[in-house]
Amino acid sequence: MGEEEAAGMSTAVAAKHPYVEALLKGCTELPHSPLSWLDGRRAAALERANALTIPTTREEEWRFTDITPLTRIPFRPGRSAPRLTERDIARFETPEAAIRLTFVDGVFSPELSATAGLPYGVLVKNLAAGLETHCVPVEPHLARHAAFERDVFAALNTCYLRDGALVIIARNQDCPTPVHLLFVAAQKEIASYPRCLVIAEAGSRCTLIEDYVALGEDAYFSDPVTEIVLGDGARVTHVKLQREARSAFHIATCAVALGKDAEYASHTVTLGARISRYNLSVVQQGEGARARIDGLALVSGRQLADTHSFMDHARPAGKCVQLHKCIIGDAAHAVFNGRIVVRPGAQLTDAAQESRNLLLSGTAHVDTKPQLEIFADDVRCSHGATVGQLEQEQMFYLRSRGLSEARAHNLLIYAFGAEIIDRIPVPSLVAQLGRTVLEQAQTAA
Amino acid sequence: MSAVLEHLVNQPYKHGFVTPVEADTAPKGLNEDVIRLISGKKKEPQWLLEFRLKAYRHWLTMQQPHWANVRHAEIDFQDIIYYSAPIPKKKLASMDEVDPELLRTFEKLGVPMHERAQLAGVAVDVIFDSVSVATTYKQKLAEVGILFCSMSEAVRDHPDLVLRHLGTVVPYTDNFYAALNSAVFTDGSFCFIPRGVKCPMELSTYFRINTQESGQFERTLIVAEEGASVSYLEGCTAPKFDTNQLHAAVVELIALDDAEIKYSTVQNWYAGDEQGVGGVYNFVTKRGLCKGASSRISWTQVETGSAITWKYPSCVLLGDNSSGEFYSVALTNNRQQADTGTKMVHIGRNTRSRIISKGISAGRSNNSYRGLVRIGPKAENARNYSQCDSMLIGSHSGANTFPYIQVANHTARVEHEATTSKIGEDQLFYFAQRGIGAEEAVSMIINGFCRDVFQQLPMEFAVEATKLLGLKLEGSVG
């Protein structure tokens, strides 16, 4: 404590929750930034982290997701990362993505990154370096979109905000190949706080792959925050792959701001982690913006996958299509809360949301809550939710075509997942994820 | 054209008048003495007093719930009169001797009791500020063994039945308002249909809050034994007062093997004025227990009144093959707020449930559907279908849906659908082309929107409900 005060951090008061305090240990000793605005935002986040507690199932937002297993492990921040080679991460590479930033336990690894030959108008850099050269475009957005006032995990991430990924696509520029942001977990009991900021200026286009992977099977904790800003008429495709280790914890926040006529497509695939939570919030800040929000959670064993999405139609004439699917095997548990709000005056909004859930075993469990809040009258909104097992009629149809019961079963599960996967615009990922769904189907059979 | 719609949604409350009847009223506030006073006034047995006191002591430990999507000033529970009974002018021997003031009230409401009872063949148990005043057709029902009386009479004449069932579906620990009700309930209806009896007529009660600042805490208990069936109707109106009145009722339904209970409500409590001043706070706990195999409980509600509605008629599907249904129309106008829906809790095998909810929001009102479908781990082959549609009239109202779906059995099938729409100008144009004015067109479109629910209402109620919606949305368009 004395050292921290000596370091001049005025907000170094004890956190309200002992676990938050443990996670924050050492945070205040990190060096200051030369940018006073960044220090200010970190200090504000620290103040919030100190005031907030780890959520419990008594809170509506966390009612079905019990994160007490997380609090039993004393995670510490990763200071240094082990040196990895290209071979260690070869299996995670995406051939289509010529541009890659790699982070190991949250620490930027230049030797595993590929940023040579960037197309004109495309900036892909680690955030610490980017702040030195591109402070002006970053300042209005960094830690401005992902609200941390009431979210302890977003606050924790912001407290630790030193580095991360920065992608800026200049006005009317097109990034022809996907940008791969790879976050590798290598050591156990490490808490990492990855950060991404993507600024797609007016009329620009890009495809991002935000990818969380692990080398081992040990428990660790990822608490990433991603902010994506789309200028007027920009188009961003955002693929988020969560393939963490099966004993890891992953609590991610993503905040997206859409300008006028912007188009955002989110493809989220959740495969790993013991407990995972994804908070995706999309705010339509300009008229006529469009969003497609796809999600697939494929869980088994005793995994828990929770997706909370929030589509905020704050301006008129927005369109949103959301499809969230869960395939739940063994004693796994899937949670979905999809909230769509149409603000007063957001006329001509067209929002459709569907939650489809497939239960593969007698002990699988799903809690789904599609939620509409509408304060404008000239809108078209709908939502639907279904929960069930494979249809007997469909099985019968395939059996009548000569498929064995096992093959029919696998094919139907594959088809259920493929609807989401096939829309990902990266062919190698489509093939890879298709195989993963099929493997899961086979083990569930 | 949208200005036309705005004018369409204003209709003064036609049931706002106060009947000056000399009331026997308890002092304001709530403490154990008031509960003893209520119990004493009603000459209740010791066990019931203890039930009330236990509930009261538990209530003291509870917090007022704030999770509902409604806003209101904090309720001062010490500023409410918990007991107020009209003093009858003499002992009642027949319908003719009912206080003529009361009868006039009901005539103004359009419920001529004799006519209604005789012509329509409806037995009406009239609740007037907490005490049952007149009961008709009791004899006729008694012939087939049905007990239909006020809760006070049931406690006096059939204490064993009340003791066995009271609080078994909604325990006093259930929620804040259920605990309050268990402590201070004054009266309500009791209905018992013995094994194998099909009730020969629709049973009906009429509730009315009269004394200003008297909360009404009625308690209804309906028990249908094996193979019995009953259809029960409840209608509500309240006169116009500026302060808000609290209404915290508890309704418990119990259906044994193969029994069927159909419970219909038309709620038209005073909703407050255009500025949201006054009106009833309607915080009700209604729950049915399908205890026996193949039992069936169906809720139908038309909610048009109350400043705030907070109500979730639910079914607990415990018996194998049992089924629950919920049909609802909730209309809010001006500053009304409604947070209503249902809970379907599937516990037994092959249980089925169906939810049809229609919300209409006009003016500056806010209308929420909040529902829960829970499939327990042992509910093999459970099936649920839910549909909740919203209609918005005017751009200042809000419509929300909060459906919770929790499934822990993979053989279950759950489907949920929700849509939001508005009355299109093209629709109104189409009507106008055919010589139908805007007002009538709106009424027809709304009635079409609500048809799935109205079809579930018994004939005379369906007529009343259709009229009520028409009245609520009637306006000044020529």
Side-chain angles (χ1 to χ4, degrees), chain A residues 269 271 296 298 327 360 410-418 421 430-444:
Chain A
V269 180
L271 303 168
L296 173 67
L298 185 68
I327 304 175
L360 297 179
N410 295 346
L411 187 62
L412 286 174
I413 294 173
Y414 174 78
F416 185 86
I421 291 170
V430 173
Q432 201 181 349
L433 292 168
R435 280 196 300 277
T436 311
V437 175
L438 207 54
E439 275 162 29
Q440 171 103 353
Q442 279 156 355
T443 47

Side-chain angles (χ1 to χ4, degrees), chain A residues 60 63-64 337 344-345 347 359-389 391 393, chain B residues 5 69 366 370 372 374 377 381 388 392-422:
Chain A
E60 180 65 25
R63 211 170 130 191
F64 305 108
N337 188 110
Q347 301 292 13
L359 297 175
L360 297 179
S361 92
T363 45
H365 187 165
V366 64
D367 293 294
T368 177
K369 186 179 145 209
Q371 188 179 328
L372 281 175
E373 291 170 50
I374 300 166
F375 300 95
D377 62 336
D378 194 4
V379 299
R380 222 168 61 186
C381 292
S382 67
H383 66 205
T386 57
V387 180
Q389 54 184 351
E391 294 277 345
E393 287 83 6
Chain B
L5 282 178
N69 188 24
N366 203 346
R370 187 184 300 275
L372 168 69
R374 177 185 286 158
N381 298 316
C388 43
L392 290 120
I393 299 175
S395 55
H396 299 292
S397 54
N400 311 300
T401 45
F402 305 96
Y404 290 76
I405 301 167
Q406 302 170 8
V407 182
N409 187 302
H410 74 302
T411 59
R413 274 187 67 180
V414 178
E415 287 171 83
H416 173 96
E417 277 179 53
T419 62
T420 300
S421 54
K422 68 163 200 163

Side-chain angles (χ1 to χ4, degrees), chain B residues 262 264-265 299-303 326-330 355-359 387 447-458 462 465:
Chain B
K262 190 171 162 62
S264 313
T265 310
W299 296 100
T300 307
Q301 62 171 24
V302 177
E303 300 282 323
F326 175 75
Y327 299 96
S328 165
V329 168
I355 299 169
I356 307 286
S357 165
K358 308 279 180 180
Q387 187 185 343
N447 277 307
F449 180 70
C450 301
R451 207 175 62 141
D452 292 345
V453 175
F454 287 166
Q455 277 174 343
Q456 301 298 323
L457 285 170

Side-chain angles (χ1 to χ4, degrees), chain B residues 161-218:
Chain B
L161 279 176
V162 178
L163 178 60
R164 196 190 314 156
H165 297 293
L166 188 76
T168 56
V169 183
V170 181
Y172 64 82
T173 50
D174 191 80
N175 68 66
F176 185 81
Y177 295 106
L180 180 65
N181 175 287
S182 302
V184 300
F185 71 88
T186 39
D187 216 332
S189 295
F190 173 79
C191 183
F192 178 83
I193 302 98
R195 181 181 298 239
V197 173
K198 308 265 180 245
C199 185
M201 62 185 92
E202 311 266 4
L203 300 181
S204 167
T205 62
Y206 229 89
F207 291 108
R208 198 168 148 72
I209 300 178
N210 202 48
T211 310
Q212 191 166 7
E213 286 169 50
S214 80
Q216 183 148 2
F217 303 93
E218 87 261 356

Side-chain angles (χ1 to χ4, degrees), chain B residues 102-113 126 128 206:
Chain B
L102 287 187
L103 292 183
R104 267 198 291 279
T105 305
F106 287 110
E107 269 155 40
K108 280 192 230 170
L109 276 178
V111 196
M113 229 187 317
V126 180
F128 195 98
Y206 229 89

